[in-house]
């Protein structure tokens, strides 16, 4: 690991593609969860991965990170295998993936974002603490720094995870449902942070479940239901027929999708 | 026990007591420290299985070596303990058997084998076999100087690893996936933590025994958690509680009046000391104790 961390310190100059997925298949217990995913995710954009529960969204993020072994196909990040560019990647896991009863406070958790840069044996120093405090400030959680993490609301916990990813000072961010359990005001503030990242040239990929906000938040979208349904700019790809294919036959979700499209007609014009 | 004996104990003039205190004190300290990580990673019961699985390992080592040579018995215990930990992972991973069931199966199978083997060995003629059953409940009083030094040395090594890899272990226990995304070899770190638990457990067998060893890994961190909401202080406090319990239990076993000449068994007294600390912590613990929690609620109700 120390190898990858030292080598990949710099941002790839002029990289236009952040992630290249080539015929990616993933199976758990011999059951396929991802089938033939084949897409190029552009650098410097806000990208949503959208699809029904069990559609393999989290699995796709985890296979990009190398946390899940792919059965076939290949994945490259900025043209390299992920193990060579780990320092360029920040990660926000699902909130449910950790024990919030764990004896750490907010500042401790954000500081963990620095661990990857530190490498073996080295302890976080003053500079790391300063960066962590800055990131905590960016998500508006400074006054909670010494709170035990279990004493936070769901939305505050998500902001702490976002701050931890910011502390990684990455080029590419992968976020698994960062808006789950977040109230509207917090979501708006978090989206502002994501836009700031994007405007600074970073790539942000978000597993997203709220169809209504896809067009407002994102530039690019990957529709996924085990198979890749469509991938491309939101304006071109986020259509009712593609959504039907993605959510096929699920009535309530279909209604939601239809409503999302109708809502979006007003500010954005009809998506094609 | 008269006043003179008590004086000798307190002033550490008695070399036997000094030896046992060195062994049980360092053991308690390191068990508390390693136990904190094991508990947070929910590996407490795996440690129990490792301890129980050590018994057949001790018997096999005895059969191979043919004597009660301390180091080789511990090596046998370590090999079988690791085997048990691996068996649990294998059963859970390869089938749909849940972890608690897998642990139950492994504890039963290995401990049964151990009891059967030690029974046969005890009854077989010849050889210096006395005291093999001492590993079941522990027999700290029979610890000799070399045993205590070995335990202290092993514990110092374990402690050093935990101090060096504190940051890595913290990350592993809190958020394994995030750690892996940063490139940390979480599987190998997890195996290392299991190995530390195994080594700790095996080091404790002569003093505390197979059955009670898990208590020394679990009770101190559980008590420490009630006092603090941060990992560093919790690990430190857990080590202190474990070490103090080791010392106090040993001292009590030497001092408490008992019928006959054997005195009170040390291992159980150590565990009971830790349990007393836990009960006090449960009531008074600053972070999560019952009484501070009740007072806090009452204060809010009054002001509301």
């Amino acid at each position: 690991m120390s190898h990858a961390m030292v080598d990949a310190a710099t941002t790839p100059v002029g990289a236009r593609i952040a992630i290249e997925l080539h015929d990616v298949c993933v199976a758990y217990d011999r059951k396929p969860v991802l089938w033939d995913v084949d897409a190029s995710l552009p650098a410097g954009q806000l990208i949503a991965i959208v699809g029904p529960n069990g559609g393999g969204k989290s699995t796709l993020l985890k296979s990009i990170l190398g946390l899940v072994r792919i059965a076939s196909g290949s994945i490259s990040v900025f043209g390299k295998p992920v193990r060579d560019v780990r320092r360029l990647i920040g990660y926000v896991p699902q909130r449910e993936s950790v024990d919030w009863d764990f004896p750490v406070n907010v500042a401790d958790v954000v500081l963990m974002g620095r661990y990857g840069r530190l490498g073996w044996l080295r302890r976080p120093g003053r500079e790391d603490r300063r960066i962590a405090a800055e990131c905590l400030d960016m998500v508006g959680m400074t006054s909670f720094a010494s709170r035990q993490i279990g004493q936070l609301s769901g939305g505050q916990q998500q902001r702490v995870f976002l701050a931890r990813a910011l502390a990684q000072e990455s080029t590419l961010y992968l976020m698994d449902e960062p808006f789950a359990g977040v109230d509207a005001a917090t979501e708006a503030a978090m989206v502002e942070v994501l836009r700031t990242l994007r405007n600074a040239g970073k790539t942000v990929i978000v597993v997203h479940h709220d169809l209504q906000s896809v067009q407002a938040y994102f530039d690019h979208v990957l529709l996924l239901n085990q198979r890749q349904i469509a991938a491309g700019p939101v304006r071109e790809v986020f259509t009712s027929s593609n959504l039907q294919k993605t959510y096929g036959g699920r009535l309530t979700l279909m209604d939601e999708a239809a409503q999302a499209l109708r809502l979006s007609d007003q500010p954005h014009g009809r998506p094609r | 026990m008269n006043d003179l004996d008590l004086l000798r104990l307190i002033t550490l003039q008695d070399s036997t007591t000094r030896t046992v205190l060195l062994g049980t004190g360092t053991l308690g300290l390191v068990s508390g420290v390693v136990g904190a990580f094991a508990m947070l990673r929910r590996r407490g019961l795996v440690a129990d299985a490792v301890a129980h699985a050590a018994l057949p390992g001790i018997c096999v080592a005895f059969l191979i070596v043919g004597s009660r040579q301390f180091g080789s018995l511990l090596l046998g215990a370590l090999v079988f303990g690791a085997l048990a930990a691996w068996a649990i992972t294998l059963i859970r991973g390869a089938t749909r058997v849940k972890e608690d069931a897998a642990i139950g199966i492994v504890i039963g199978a290995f401990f049964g084998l151990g009891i059967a083997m030690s029974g046969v060995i005890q009854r077989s003629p010849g050889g210096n076999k006395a005291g093999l059953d001492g590993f079941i409940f522990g027999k700290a009083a029979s610890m000799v100087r070399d045993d205590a030094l070995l335990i202290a040395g092993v514990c110092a090594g374990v402690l050093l690893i935990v101090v060096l890899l504190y940051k890595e272990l913290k990350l592993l226990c809190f958020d394994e996936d995030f750690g892996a995304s940063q490139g940390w070899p979480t599987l190998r770190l997890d195996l290392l933590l299991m190995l530390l638990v195994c080594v700790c457990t095996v080091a404790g067998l002569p003093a505390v025994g197979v059955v009670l060893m898990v208590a020394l890994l679990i009770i101190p961190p559980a008590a420490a958690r009630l006092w603090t909401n941060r990992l560093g202080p919790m690990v430190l406090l857990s080590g202190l509680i474990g070490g103090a319990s080791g010392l106090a239990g040993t001292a009590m076993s030497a001092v408490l009046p008992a019928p006959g000449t054997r005195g009170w068994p040390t291992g159980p007294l150590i565990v009971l000391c830790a349990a007393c600390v836990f009960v006090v912590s449960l009531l008074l613990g600053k972070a999560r104790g019952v009484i501070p929690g009740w007072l806090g609620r009452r204060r809010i109700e009054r002001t509301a």
Side-chain angles (χ1 to χ4, degrees):
Chain A
M1 135 167 169
S2 53
H3 219 68
M5 286 183 164
V6 178
D7 287 349
T10 49
T11 310
V13 180
R16 313 232 342 245
I17 301 297
I19 295 174
E20 190 84 60
L21 302 159
H22 187 64
D23 291 340
V24 173
C25 299
V26 177
Y28 288 142
D29 276 344
R30 280 165 264 146
K31 244 175 46 192
V33 277
L34 279 182
W35 202 251
D36 269 352
V37 178
D38 201 280
S40 299
L41 302 178
Q45 298 204 358
L46 279 174
I47 302 167
I49 300 177
V50 172
N53 291 333
K57 296 170 298 202
S58 296
T59 304
L60 183 60
L61 275 202
K62 286 184 179 173
S63 37
I64 293 169
L65 286 162
L67 305 181
V68 165
R69 187 201 291 262
I70 56 175
S72 65
S74 65
I75 298 174
S76 66
V77 180
F78 297 122
K80 290 182 183 155
V82 66
R83 62 175 180 277
D84 294 342
V85 288
R86 290 209 177 276
R87 267 182 78 168
L88 302 182
I89 306 178
Y91 179 41
V92 176
Q94 265 180 36
R95 183 156 60 91
E96 294 81 36
S97 67
V98 305
D99 172 16
W100 291 92
D101 218 27
F102 200 87
V104 282
N105 65 25
V106 168
D108 292 333
V109 173
V110 179
L111 206 52
M112 286 179 194
R114 306 297 301 164
Y115 284 11
R117 286 174 176 269
L118 287 169
W120 292 102
L121 304 181
R122 280 175 58 204
R123 300 279 159 101
R126 189 179 295 170
E127 178 70 359
D128 297 302
R129 279 170 218 289
R130 188 188 61 75
I131 291 166
E134 251 177 48
C135 297
L136 206 51
D137 189 48
M138 272 185 80
V139 301
M141 288 288 291
T142 301
S143 53
F144 295 89
S146 53
R147 280 272 186 101
Q148 198 266 324
I149 52 169
Q151 298 163 357
L152 306 174
S153 71
Q156 291 168 335
Q157 291 174 346
Q158 294 284 28
R159 281 193 273 167
V160 171
F161 264 12
L162 178 58
R164 182 177 68 172
L166 294 175
Q168 293 183 272
E169 296 190 310
S170 306
T171 311
L172 166 68
Y173 290 89
L174 302 178
M175 307 187 180
D176 204 343
E177 306 241 10
F179 305 126
V182 168
D183 64 57
T186 307
E187 182 167 324
M190 287 172 76
V191 168
E192 259 332 292
V193 174
L194 302 195
R195 287 194 174 125
T196 311
L197 289 174
R198 189 256 327 262
N199 295 343
K202 322 246 178 192
T203 311
V204 183
I205 299 177
V206 177
V207 168
H208 195 59
H209 64 278
D210 177 21
L211 295 174
Q212 314 210 12
S213 53
V214 169
Q215 286 162 312
Y217 294 168
F218 296 100
D219 310 312
H220 198 94
V221 65
L222 174 69
L223 293 169
L224 196 66
N225 186 357
Q226 297 196 348
R227 288 166 188 279
Q228 175 183 321
I229 308 298
V234 170
R235 278 171 173 282
E236 291 168 22
V237 168
F238 198 70
T239 61
S240 59
S241 78
N242 275 340
L243 284 173
Q244 260 172 33
K245 277 189 229 159
T246 311
Y247 289 91
R250 297 199 197 179
L251 271 178
T252 48
L253 283 163
M254 290 294 299
D255 291 345
E256 201 184 327
Q259 201 189 349
L261 288 171
R262 229 178 299 123
L263 279 175
S264 66
D265 280 352
Q266 290 125 27
H268 289 279
R270 176 171 297 277
R272 297 196 25 92
Chain B
M1 169 69 52
N2 54 41
D3 291 349
L4 195 64
D5 286 348
L6 192 61
L7 187 71
R8 277 170 58 82
L9 174 85
I10 292 169
T11 53
L12 294 176
Q13 280 170 13
D14 181 41
S15 77
T16 313
T17 313
R18 230 167 32 218
T19 301
V20 179
L21 282 174
L22 172 69
T24 54
T26 47
L27 175 72
L29 173 78
V30 174
S31 302
V33 168
V34 172
F37 293 98
M39 186 188 81
L40 290 171
R41 194 135 171 81
R42 301 180 191 204
R43 291 293 156 79
L45 286 178
V46 177
D48 200 22
V50 165
H52 280 78
L55 190 60
I58 288 167
C59 294
V60 169
F62 175 78
L63 288 175
I64 293 173
V65 181
S67 72
R68 278 190 70 244
Q69 202 219 337
F70 193 63
S72 47
L73 292 189
L74 291 192
L75 192 65
L78 189 61
V79 170
F80 269 67
L83 205 63
W86 179 72
I88 291 169
T89 318
L90 191 75
I91 292 172
R92 203 192 40 187
T95 67
R96 291 191 184 273
V97 176
K98 297 281 181 280
E99 180 154 38
D100 57 342
I103 289 170
I105 292 164
V106 169
I107 288 184
F110 277 82
F111 194 52
L113 179 67
I115 295 280
M117 287 182 78
S118 73
V120 171
I121 291 172
Q122 296 295 324
R123 283 196 302 275
S124 67
N128 173 20
K129 69 214 173 192
L132 262 195
D133 56 342
F135 284 100
I136 300 178
F137 297 113
K139 209 170 170 191
S142 66
M143 206 184 278
V144 297
R145 194 160 162 276
D146 284 354
D147 300 351
L149 285 177
L150 181 66
I151 291 173
V154 166
C155 287
V158 170
L159 202 58
L160 182 70
I161 293 174
V162 172
V163 169
L164 286 177
L165 296 182
Y166 174 76
K167 164 175 117 263
E168 288 78 3
L169 291 172
K170 178 181 186 176
L171 188 60
L172 172 80
C173 292
F174 175 62
D175 196 343
E176 188 181 355
D177 273 0
F178 182 77
S181 84
Q182 284 185 332
W184 299 102
T186 47
L187 183 66
R188 267 178 281 165
L189 281 170
D190 200 26
L191 288 176
L192 176 74
L193 179 58
M194 273 318 299
L195 182 71
L196 295 181
V197 170
C198 281
V199 168
C200 238
T201 306
V202 169
L205 294 182
V208 186
V210 162
V211 180
L212 289 178
M213 186 53 214
V214 67
L216 216 49
L217 283 161
I218 294 305
I219 298 178
R225 181 70 184 88
L226 295 160
W227 292 95
T228 171
N229 278 326
R230 296 194 70 187
L231 184 63
M234 176 185 156
V235 170
L236 215 64
L237 189 59
S238 177
L240 286 178
I241 291 172
S245 303
L247 296 179
T250 308
M252 282 167 72
S253 126
V255 176
L256 283 181
T261 51
R262 296 279 299 275
W264 288 73
T266 309
L269 284 178
I270 293 174
V271 171
L272 283 174
C273 284
C276 287
V277 175
F278 177 77
V279 171
V280 172
S281 308
L282 191 67
L283 293 174
L284 301 179
K286 206 175 111 230
R288 317 197 134 188
V290 173
I291 292 173
W294 179 73
L295 287 176
R297 273 194 302 279
R298 225 170 76 119
R299 205 165 41 237
I300 291 168
E301 280 165 15
R302 283 247 177 104
T303 51

